[in-house]
Amino acid sequence: MSTLSLKQLRKQFGDVTAVHEINLEVGDGEFLCILGPSGCGKSTALRMIAGFEEPTSGDILIDGQSVVTMAANHRPTAMVFQKYTLWPHMKVYDNIAFGLKLRGLARTEIDRKVNEALELVGLPDYGKRMPNQLSGGEQQRIALARALVLEPKILLLDEPFSNLDALLRVRLREELRRIQRRVKITAIFVTHDQEEALSLADRIAVMSKGRVEQLDVPSRIYDQPATLFVADFIGVMNLIPAQQNGATIDLGALRLESPTRVNGTVTVAIRPEDIAIVGESDVDAWGGEVEQIIDLGHYRKLLVKVPSVGTLKVYAPKALDLRENQLIGLNPSRFTIFRDGAAPIEVKREAVAPLEMSVAV
Amino acid sequence: MTTLTLSMRDRLKRYAAREGFGLFALIFLIIFIVLPILTVLLWGFAIRWRFPAVIPTEWGFDFWQETLSRADLRRAFPNSIVLSISVTLLSMVICLPASYAFARMNFRGKQFFLLSFLFTNAFPRLGLYVAIAIIFFRLGLVGTFAGVVIVQLLNTLLLMIWIPTAAFQGVERSLEEAALDVGASRLRVFMQITLPLVFPAVFAAVLLTFVNTFYETYGALLIGAPNVLTIPVIMFPLINNQPIPQYGAILSLVLFAPSVVLLLFANRLLRGGYLTAGFGV
Amino acid sequence: MVARSTRSLLPYILITPPIILVFGLIFFPAAQSFVRTLTGVDGSFSFERYLEFMNDRSSVTSLIFTFQVTFLSLIGLFAICYPLALYLRFSNSRVAYWAQMVALLPLFVPGIMSAYALIRFFRGRGLLETIIYQLSPVLSETYYSPYVKPEGIIIGSIWESIPFTVLVLLAGLRQVESGLIESAQDVGASRWTIFFQIILPLTRRAALIAFCLNFIAIFGSYTIPYLLGPAAPQTLGVLMQRTYQEYAQPLQAETQAVITFAVCALVGLLYVRTVSSQRTGRN
């Protein structure tokens, strides 16, 4: 039941700045994901919170109290690492009990807590096993139990599931969320997997090159990316370089309207699901040729080549009968304009009736 | 059916071709390596063994008493033991902290210093000891216990630095961080996490160091003799021009005794790859 | 600030004792001996000690003899160990297990004991001749004992070096991933092509390490040549020990030592370079 705040937190390794002044407030019981590509500084930030890296400058507060001068072994944080870091020479029970023993708890108390923790992660009766007898998923659950048993104020997770296979990853993700809600612990979860972040987090901090690009709830991160990086990194996005003249952007056959008047280079970002497929001869549409059809199970992704716009990614329902090399029309219903040094501008266009599924093109 | 038997025969043929070499190699190695060692064992317990008898015609322990009560052995045996223990302990004290530094800390010139230990292998022993003896002579260390300890210590450095360094590097840092994270002090992390994990490798290094020092011949011969005699040194005259072969055989077996302990751990030692790690392979 | 500066000094403090030993007892004496051998009686620069060595017939014979014995031993050693290591790498049978165990046995045998064992086994009327006699008395008349002959040194050197050589070569061969060999088979390479084009080049490093360390060990060895070799010619190791202890001429022994250094330093440098190039490559 704790809050965490990072104030102007910075980390420099020689000439390289791994983390630029970060400011972050994490509320009590909140599940925050730090999301970003590898090398963006997310792990360094987490390791500073845990006390494994010393910040170059800035402050870390837990419940309003600075912990920067506190050594890792005294901080009220507990970490789950990417690699299964169960001590291979200790039984599962002893792995979990290690920290409790350090705190001088009574034997019966340790026993009770270890069993509770094992119960919590769904692995009762695993105490007597050695770590190398467990599967990767089991090991990581024990690692979680080991962290939670100490009742830390902040739970830190450093890409804990990235060594597991896809199916297991999803299952453990759901389980983690359930456990976190149950014990109501404040958690910071670092990952490069956006799906993981979107499905787990109360809020997401997207990081790039040592900076927080956007801090927001998952739906807003997806729907209203604050920067071009976030727009590109999260989900699938069509990014089209263009020229804006006054309030209009001429892009291929379409003239897009902008609420602000500027002249210069901009990037138009359009989500595939915001592009409707219409008839080839539709006036208010880009005409394009289907280059490739990728079947993704319950829907299809199309790569459509649009003259003087580029190749656009578009989703199509399976019922729509499409072939490669077929000519279709594309109509964007929503887009965002990114311009250097300016806030992004979201623009909605009038809805156009998409191509009826029944209509054979 | 026909194809099946054909492939079976084919497989058998291939097996014979491959294991044929193995069997040949095994027989050669047994004749070349095991039989000479067996000869020592037989001589150790023989009272009479004349050509052309394949095994001794008379057996007994008579020579054991005679050999073990020799004055030179009575002097050399405690010397060998005390020397080996002192050198091994000193080597641990000097090398283990250094190997921890090599594995876990970053400092300028680390690679250079680590590689400099290879030079303990790059000079022929006897020549090096002649060069050292000339310095020791001036320092009054020739013929002293301390002199032999220092020279033998030199022999242990490479194994005692490189094997534990490889072992410390092999311990995932996050295993230590995880222990720090749950509140253990640095000392406790070292004692309860790091040390148990490197123990097999360090144990192998210590055992090898002890046994190697126990056998060490050149340093003891050039620096120690004639004041500080060890078992290998007193064996030279007993092997060369000695009409009674039993002396040499029995002393060989005495010298071989610590190796039996090492042999018991041989499998684990080799499986860990520690031996070759100590030579930079 | 104080804490930080002691922390950066700590590694140096920890490595100082062994480093002092290496520099004080290897580099320093070797360099000192080297300089001294180039100094004449009057204290000026002079080759006189080397000229003395070169003018001494037995010293030169000894140097040449040491080279011959070392190279023949190395050839024999690789002829035995490379095929053996190759077999051990690709076979998982019980035969392979036992062959490996036996091959590694000399590792656990003290040098002086192995010399004794080989004497008792190979000498005239030793166990080997006895066995041959039991099989065929006629054949045993042709038995040629290598004891107190150059062959004795070669056999002894090979015997002692087999375990280390097999271990190093095997470690090198294990680093050649099966996938590399399988993919070569897949594209239709024959056994010989695979051996020469893939296995041999990839184990060059291990073979070099084995070559260098064995060369240095055999070239400078004493126990085996002294106990198994002939009275004349002697190897440099035996000559050196005799000159130092029996003839009590440390300065001449020093010249001989520096000459062995010079030879081994070249090989040693190759070894250090081989190991270090791979280590920096890995990091």
Side-chain angles (χ1 to χ4, degrees):
Chain A
M1 302 261 68
S2 298
T3 62
L4 170 79
S5 57
L6 309 182
K7 300 222 183 282
Q8 302 284 316
L9 195 63
R10 211 182 79 161
K11 178 69 187 179
Q12 188 115 19
F13 292 109
D15 296 337
V16 185
T17 308
V19 175
H20 293 273
E21 278 91 19
I22 288 189
N23 289 298
L24 207 62
E25 299 287 332
V26 187
D28 189 11
E30 188 181 357
F31 199 119
L32 180 92
C33 274
I34 304 180
L35 173 66
S38 59
C40 72
K42 59 189 190 299
S43 279
T44 309
L46 194 75
R47 290 171 60 81
M48 283 195 281
I49 300 170
F52 298 131
E53 303 283 357
E54 207 180 321
T56 310
S57 61
D59 205 355
I60 301 163
L61 308 172
I62 294 175
D63 285 341
Q65 295 212 308
S66 172
V67 295
V68 260
T69 53
M70 220 181 255
N73 43 0
H74 297 301
R75 286 199 194 179
T77 57
M79 181 131 147
V80 179
F81 295 79
Q82 176 177 359
K83 291 182 193 139
Y84 331 120
T85 50
L86 300 187
W87 302 302
H89 57 301
M90 294 184 191
K91 284 183 185 145
V92 164
Y93 181 94
D94 296 314
N95 259 284
I96 301 175
F98 186 78
L100 296 172
K101 285 179 188 160
L102 291 174
R103 284 158 178 73
L105 263 63
R107 244 242 185 90
T108 47
E109 184 74 358
I110 292 177
D111 225 38
R112 187 181 58 79
K113 281 179 183 259
V114 171
N115 287 330
E116 265 177 29
L118 283 170
E119 199 89 38
L120 187 67
V121 297
L123 297 174
D125 313 321
Y126 269 57
K128 288 210 175 84
R129 301 201 192 180
M130 293 303 279
N132 61 11
Q133 295 171 306
L134 307 185
S135 70
E138 286 168 343
Q139 288 194 41
Q140 211 50 307
R141 276 188 240 192
I142 299 297
L144 181 63
R146 187 176 70 182
L148 287 173
V149 80
L150 297 170
E151 294 162 26
K153 291 187 168 174
I154 314 280
L155 178 67
L156 305 172
L157 304 106
D158 187 6
E159 309 212 19
F161 305 143
S162 60
N163 282 353
L164 305 174
D165 66 61
L167 227 73
L168 200 57
R169 208 152 50 206
V170 174
R171 254 183 49 202
L172 276 181
R173 189 193 290 167
E174 285 159 7
E175 214 170 305
L176 173 67
R177 191 64 174 132
R178 177 182 61 78
I179 291 170
Q180 187 263 344
R181 288 235 171 88
R182 221 172 97 191
V183 298
K184 300 190 180 67
I185 190 170
T186 311
I188 317 281
F189 187 106
V190 158
T191 181
H192 65 265
D193 181 344
Q194 48 170 303
E195 198 188 314
E196 203 163 78
L198 291 167
S199 64
L200 267 172
D202 293 323
R203 280 192 304 160
I204 296 174
V206 182
M207 275 188 76
S208 163
K209 294 179 182 155
R211 293 175 210 277
V212 175
E213 296 266 330
Q214 188 172 5
L215 174 64
D216 225 324
V217 296
S219 60
R220 291 265 288 277
I221 293 268
Y222 185 85
D223 288 334
Q224 294 161 12
T227 65
L228 199 53
F229 172 82
V230 178
D232 191 22
F233 185 67
I234 307 286
V236 182
M237 185 70 93
N238 294 297
L239 294 175
I240 310 154
Q243 285 294 325
Q244 180 168 354
N245 293 310
T248 58
I249 301 167
D250 285 321
L251 209 51
L254 287 182
R255 168 162 287 187
L256 304 178
E257 307 280 341
S258 169
T260 54
R261 301 181 65 90
V262 282
N263 292 321
T265 318
V266 295
T267 303
V268 176
I270 315 173
R271 292 261 181 229
E273 62 267 32
D274 290 333
I275 301 176
I277 297 171
V278 294
E280 175 213 346
S281 49
D282 202 309
V283 190
D284 185 32
W286 286 309
E289 183 184 348
V290 178
E291 266 190 339
Q292 201 183 338
I293 301 174
I294 301 152
D295 208 309
L296 293 173
H298 53 292
Y299 64 97
R300 282 181 291 180
K301 188 165 109 180
L302 311 182
L303 298 182
V304 184
K305 194 172 178 186
V306 180
S308 64
V309 172
T311 301
L312 298 181
K313 285 159 264 185
V314 185
Y315 294 145
K318 290 199 103 167
L320 210 56
D321 180 32
L322 290 167
R323 283 163 287 105
E324 283 178 11
N325 300 326
Q326 184 177 338
L327 297 175
I328 55 172
L330 296 178
N331 185 297
S333 60
R334 194 174 73 99
F335 59 91
T336 312
I337 304 165
F338 288 93
R339 193 165 62 85
D340 273 352
I345 297 154
E346 194 190 338
V347 182
K348 288 200 171 94
R349 296 177 83 237
E350 256 170 68
V352 193
L355 204 59
E356 287 293 326
M357 285 172 198
S358 50
V359 177
V361 185
Chain B
M1 208 47 211
T2 357
T3 49
L4 190 72
T5 44
L6 262 178
S7 78
M8 280 269 286
R9 193 189 293 167
D10 203 40
R11 237 186 279 167
L12 256 167
K13 234 194 234 167
R14 238 186 251 173
Y15 180 83
R18 193 155 50 172
E19 293 314 315
F21 176 82
L23 279 170
F24 169 76
L26 184 59
I27 290 166
F28 168 78
L29 289 170
I30 286 173
I31 292 173
F32 189 58
I33 289 170
V34 178
L35 285 187
I37 297 173
L38 202 66
T39 320
V40 182
L41 208 65
L42 292 175
W43 269 115
F45 300 99
I47 289 176
R48 187 188 294 270
W49 187 4
R50 293 257 166 80
F51 186 80
V54 178
I55 52 167
T57 42
E58 215 176 303
W59 301 78
F61 287 94
D62 302 18
F63 282 97
W64 279 80
Q65 210 186 354
E66 207 181 315
T67 313
L68 296 181
S69 58
R70 287 176 63 104
D72 53 359
L73 180 68
R74 298 216 149 204
R75 271 177 61 208
F77 189 73
N79 269 346
S80 277
I81 295 284
V82 175
L83 262 175
S84 306
I85 292 176
S86 320
V87 170
T88 308
L89 287 180
L90 251 173
S91 183
M92 284 169 73
V93 170
I94 289 177
C95 297
L96 292 181
S99 63
Y100 185 80
F102 279 123
R104 277 287 190 260
M105 300 178 186
N106 277 317
F107 53 93
R108 216 175 260 276
K110 178 162 120 171
Q111 280 296 322
F112 168 77
F113 286 123
L114 192 55
L115 289 172
S116 72
F117 291 102
L118 290 178
F119 282 99
T120 55
N121 265 352
F123 288 104
R125 296 248 173 275
L126 204 71
L128 189 65
Y129 295 158
V130 167
I132 292 174
I134 288 169
I135 294 178
F136 274 19
F137 198 74
R138 236 175 287 145
L139 298 173
L141 283 170
V142 171
T144 64
F145 187 80
V148 180
V149 168
I150 295 172
V151 165
Q152 293 193 332
L153 199 54
L154 203 57
N155 261 332
T156 66
L157 293 182
L158 184 65
L159 279 179
M160 210 52 155
I161 297 262
W162 277 47
I163 295 179
T165 298
F168 279 125
Q169 279 171 340
V171 177
E172 283 284 348
R173 226 173 247 260
S174 51
L175 285 176
E176 295 173 328
E177 284 175 348
L180 274 180
D181 196 53
V182 298
S185 65
R186 290 213 170 259
L187 183 69
R188 191 178 285 273
V189 173
F190 183 78
M191 298 303 288
Q192 298 203 332
I193 308 294
T194 318
L195 216 53
L197 291 173
V198 298
F199 183 77
V202 172
F203 182 71
V206 169
L207 209 58
L208 275 169
T209 300
F210 179 85
V211 171
N212 282 343
T213 311
F214 197 64
Y215 302 162
E216 204 280 336
T217 313
Y218 302 157
L221 186 71
L222 251 80
I223 305 288
N227 298 342
V228 184
L229 293 174
T230 61
I231 302 176
V233 174
I234 64 163
M235 279 178 71
F236 278 97
L238 289 180
I239 288 176
N240 235 13
N241 320 315
Q242 174 53 247
I244 302 172
Q246 281 88 342
Y247 291 155
I250 289 163
L251 281 185
S252 291
L253 294 178
V254 169
L255 203 57
F256 188 53
S259 296
V260 177
V261 182
L262 194 59
L263 262 170
L264 292 178
F265 290 95
N267 222 341
R268 207 207 287 179
L269 225 119
L270 295 168
R271 201 156 3 105
Y274 303 131
L275 268 176
T276 41
F279 290 95
V281 182
Chain C
M1 271 329 274
V2 176
R4 189 151 281 190
S5 69
T6 50
R7 204 191 293 170
S8 62
L9 268 180
L10 185 63
Y12 293 105
I13 295 167
L14 294 180
I15 66 165
T16 299
I19 288 292
I20 284 179
L21 275 176
V22 168
F23 282 79
L25 290 179
I26 293 180
F27 292 127
F28 179 64
Q32 206 187 26
S33 286
F34 180 67
V35 171
R36 224 176 4 233
T37 52
L38 286 170
T39 311
V41 197
D42 55 352
S44 62
F45 177 83
S46 148
F47 281 115
E48 63 192 46
R49 284 173 65 178
Y50 290 98
L51 288 174
E52 192 188 349
F53 180 92
M54 288 303 173
N55 287 328
D56 180 32
R57 275 267 311 270
S58 69
S59 299
V60 175
T61 317
S62 175
L63 179 64
I64 295 167
F65 180 65
T66 312
F67 264 113
Q68 290 170 333
V69 165
T70 306
F71 275 116
L72 288 173
S73 303
L74 285 172
I75 290 169
L77 193 59
F78 274 85
I80 293 172
C81 294
Y82 206 102
L84 187 63
L86 210 54
Y87 163 73
L88 295 178
R89 162 69 175 81
F90 293 106
S91 177
N92 295 316
S93 66
R94 294 196 70 78
V95 179
Y97 173 82
W98 284 108
Q100 181 172 4
M101 282 296 141
V102 174
L104 295 183
L105 211 52
L107 199 65
F108 303 94
V109 179
I112 187 124
M113 174 176 171
S114 49
Y116 176 80
L118 291 169
I119 291 173
R120 285 288 136 200
F121 184 69
F122 280 112
R123 68 182 300 166
R125 306 206 149 187
L127 185 60
L128 184 59
E129 194 184 345
T130 309
I131 292 171
I132 295 172
Y133 180 86
Q134 293 292 346
L135 297 173
S136 148
V138 186
L139 196 66
S140 80
E141 273 166 38
T142 62
Y143 181 71
Y144 172 81
S145 164
Y147 179 49
V148 289
K149 301 204 182 67
E151 290 88 335
I153 308 177
I154 295 171
I155 288 177
S157 303
I158 292 176
W159 200 90
E160 284 206 307
S161 313
I162 283 180
F164 175 71
T165 313
V166 167
L167 275 179
V168 171
L169 290 177
L170 197 54
L173 283 166
R174 291 238 162 89
Q175 284 166 10
V176 182
E177 280 173 46
S178 298
L180 290 176
I181 293 159
E182 280 156 14
S183 56
Q185 279 172 338
D186 199 45
V187 298
S190 72
R191 279 170 156 233
W192 289 109
T193 319
I194 290 171
F195 177 72
F196 283 110
Q197 303 285 325
I198 292 170
I199 295 172
L200 210 55
L202 287 174
T203 51
R204 214 184 63 122
R205 221 180 59 76
L208 261 177
I209 290 175
F211 171 83
C212 294
L213 290 180
N214 281 319
F215 181 96
I216 293 164
I218 298 171
F219 194 84
S221 71
Y222 168 74
T223 312
I224 291 283
Y226 175 68
L227 292 172
L228 289 169
Q234 300 170 325
T235 63
L236 270 180
V238 177
L239 182 70
M240 214 187 308
Q241 189 270 338
R242 282 244 167 98
T243 314
Y244 178 78
Q245 272 177 331
E246 286 177 31
Y247 315 145
Q249 289 176 315
L251 287 185
Q252 279 167 358
E254 191 178 38
T255 313
Q256 295 156 4
V258 172
I259 287 168
T260 52
F261 283 175
V263 173
C264 292
L266 291 177
V267 180
L269 221 62
L270 182 64
Y271 164 61
V272 174
R273 246 192 50 191
T274 310
V275 175
S276 59
S277 70
Q278 168 256 350
R279 282 182 75 82
T280 43
R282 202 197 279 157
N283 289 346

